[in-house]
């Protein structure tokens, strides 16, 4: 299923160190209007996308978010919401469920308040997030946990997975810390190549043991590991930037992924369909004409290598991932 992640605002009540939107306490001066977003949502549906995920910043801080969700539902799109859950009241959660929101994707970046609050840079956010999660569980809306794993919390992976399982999550989305947005201020958090391999190995070890499913953002080698373990039903978990996924920022810029900051176009200048079908950036990524060991690898189509990492390191969309351990 093709999915679009749409950041509807830069405004957020937290200041997480990895935030790709570099969130602030007020909206961006050039944010898309209600009518612009509604027209964009209609285009997304007509273009054949099946799902839209509203993100931010914190999307619940946008005053028209309920109107936008309602419009997305009316176009037939499966709708999800990416939230830190700190302002996710029982009333709000019930409305989201009644509106037909498919799932909530809730951010937790540690297994304790000390670790999570230090990363979100807001004391008390861990407990408020857990309260939001309990509200989601009470009304019966499915939720995923998304967690950023970095150099300083990789040793807590098992504890975070246990917490997600105990809270009742059905999926864990693990983000490889990536230096975009506010992440550029914290390059020391970037995982070393060996740590990425260890992370994949540990998730694969837990894959059948826990009552969870997993997705890893920025480490598409996970899909190779699954296939090597015979889990061929999960082949869609490689790098799908510009293939079945793209990201649209709050001011209309279209990127292949929220971590791959190579602009494909802007919906204020051209239609989304022209960007999706005609952008040179998108066509290059779909072509998988990769060089070096990525080009020679038998898993080129399945994995594709982390194009976001390669782009930031080399300025190329097609060079090899020099850190890959599979080839």
């Amino acid at each position: 299923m093709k999915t679009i992640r749409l950041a509807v605002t830069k405004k957020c009540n937290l200041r997480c160190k990895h935030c790709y939107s570099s969130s602030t306490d007020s909206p961006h001066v050039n944010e898309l209007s209600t009518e612009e977003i509604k027209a964009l949502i209609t285009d997304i549906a007509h273009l054949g996308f099946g799902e839209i995920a509203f993100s931010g910043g914190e999307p619940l801080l946008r005053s028209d978010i309920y109107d936008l969700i309602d419009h997305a539902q009316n176009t037939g799109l499966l709708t999800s919401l990416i939230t830190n859950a700190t302002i996710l009241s029982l009333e709000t959660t019930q409305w989201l469920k009644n509106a037909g929101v498919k799932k909530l994707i809730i951010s937790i970046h540690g297994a304790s308040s000390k670790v999570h609050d230090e990363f979100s840079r807001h004391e008390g956010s861990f407990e408020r997030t857990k309260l939001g999660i309990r509200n989601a569980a009470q009304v019966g809306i499915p939720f995923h946990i998304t967690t950023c794993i970095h150099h300083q919390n990789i040793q807590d992976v098992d504890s975070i997975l246990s917490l997600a399982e105990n809270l009742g999550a059905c999926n864990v989305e693990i983000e490889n810390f990536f230096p975009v947005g506010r992440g550029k201020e914290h390059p020391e958090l970037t995982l070393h190549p060996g740590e990425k391999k260890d992370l994949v190995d540990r998730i694969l070890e837990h894959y059948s043991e826990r009552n969870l499913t997993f997705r890893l953002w920025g480490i598409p080698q996970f899909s190779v590991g699954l296939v090597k373990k015979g889990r061929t039903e999960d082949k869609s978990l490689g790098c799908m930037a510009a293939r079945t996924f793209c990201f649209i920022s709050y001011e209309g810029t279209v990127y292949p992924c929220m971590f791959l900051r190579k602009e494909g176009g802007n919906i204020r200048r051209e239609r989304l369909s022209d960007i999706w079908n005609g952008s040179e950036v998108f066509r290059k990524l779909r072509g998988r004409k990769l060089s070096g060991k990525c080009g020679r690898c038998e898993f080129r189509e399945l994995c594709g290598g982390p194009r976001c990492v390669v782009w930031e390191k080399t300025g190329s969309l097609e060079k090899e991932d020099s850190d890959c351990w599979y080839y």
Side-chain angles (χ1 to χ4, degrees):
M1 179 187 298
K2 291 193 298 185
T3 301
I4 277 186
R5 181 175 291 196
L6 172 60
V8 294
T9 185
K10 191 176 184 178
K11 185 176 182 179
C12 189
N13 58 330
L14 304 183
R15 296 293 178 271
C16 297
K17 292 180 179 180
H18 73 311
C19 180
Y20 51 76
S21 292
S22 298
S23 63
T24 58
D25 58 5
S26 59
H28 191 274
V29 294
N30 203 29
E31 284 184 5
L32 297 171
S33 68
T34 302
E35 293 310 312
E36 284 178 312
I37 293 181
K38 284 186 174 181
L40 173 60
I41 290 170
T42 300
D43 286 347
I44 289 169
H46 289 166
L47 196 51
F49 281 83
E51 181 174 358
I52 184 170
F54 291 106
S55 72
E58 171 51 59
L60 289 173
L61 290 175
R62 179 154 173 148
S63 60
D64 60 356
I65 187 62
Y66 300 121
D67 195 16
L68 299 178
I69 289 172
D70 189 58
H71 183 69
Q73 291 295 110
N74 289 338
T75 65
L77 289 166
L78 294 175
T79 307
S80 57
L81 191 77
I82 301 167
T83 175
N84 60 46
T86 58
I87 56 173
L88 192 63
S89 67
L90 191 61
E91 180 183 13
T92 297
T93 312
Q94 187 65 62
W95 187 95
L96 294 171
K97 182 182 181 183
N98 293 343
V101 171
K102 179 185 178 184
K103 63 178 179 286
L104 301 175
I105 303 172
I106 300 173
S107 304
I108 289 185
H109 304 300
S112 67
S113 58
K114 178 180 178 180
V115 175
H116 175 89
D117 291 0
E118 195 277 334
F119 190 78
S120 70
R121 300 199 290 192
H122 201 291
E123 187 176 353
S125 60
F126 183 69
E127 292 303 325
R128 288 198 294 276
T129 292
K130 288 200 297 180
L131 176 59
I133 289 173
R134 287 195 288 271
N135 289 335
Q138 183 172 334
V139 304
I141 187 169
F143 64 91
H144 296 189
I145 294 298
T146 180
T147 183
C148 179
I149 300 300
H150 51 82
H151 181 61
Q152 294 177 359
N153 75 346
I154 190 170
Q155 70 278 0
D156 296 331
V157 170
D158 291 345
S159 297
I160 293 171
L161 296 183
S162 294
L163 174 63
E165 197 169 29
N166 292 337
L167 289 170
C170 53
N171 179 277
V172 174
E173 300 189 6
I174 294 176
E175 295 182 11
N176 169 34
F177 176 86
F178 200 68
V180 297
R182 189 175 291 119
K184 290 182 178 179
E185 302 172 13
H186 303 281
E188 75 281 358
L189 297 181
T190 305
L191 292 176
H192 301 157
E195 290 175 322
K196 286 190 279 189
K197 179 183 184 301
D198 179 61
L199 176 61
V200 169
D201 289 344
R202 289 166 74 178
I203 299 303
L204 288 171
E205 179 183 346
H206 291 300
Y207 200 79
S208 300
E209 298 175 358
R210 293 184 180 273
N211 189 31
L212 294 167
T213 57
F214 297 91
R215 182 183 182 102
L216 270 66
W217 291 94
I219 313 181
Q221 289 90 346
F222 179 59
S223 60
V224 178
L226 286 173
V227 170
K228 284 177 173 286
K229 291 178 73 71
R231 302 300 295 258
T232 56
E233 75 275 18
D234 295 311
K235 282 188 175 182
S236 64
L237 297 178
C239 180
M240 302 313 295
R243 291 189 143 199
T244 61
F245 181 87
C246 77
F247 171 73
I248 304 176
S249 187
Y250 40 75
E251 33 64 62
T253 304
V254 183
Y255 299 99
C257 173
M258 55 277 188
F259 301 121
L260 206 172
R261 292 308 179 99
K262 174 66 172 173
E263 182 177 340
N266 188 291
I267 59 101
R268 282 175 163 156
R269 298 193 300 267
E270 52 195 315
R271 293 183 66 85
L272 178 61
S273 58
D274 294 332
I275 298 171
W276 178 259
N277 294 318
S279 164
E280 181 182 0
V281 173
F282 280 54
R283 287 190 288 106
K284 273 190 174 183
L285 289 166
R286 289 188 193 121
R288 284 280 205 268
K289 293 181 180 178
L290 308 177
S291 62
K293 60 183 181 182
C294 282
R296 299 189 297 270
C297 182
E298 63 179 303
F299 300 109
R300 180 182 68 251
E301 284 296 321
L302 169 64
C303 170
R307 293 297 100 198
C308 54
V309 174
V310 173
W311 169 252
E312 287 296 321
K313 282 187 174 182
T314 70
S316 168
L317 295 172
E318 299 172 330
K319 288 187 178 180
E320 69 178 21
D321 173 22
S322 59
D323 294 339
C324 185
W325 59 93
Y326 274 123
Y327 184 77

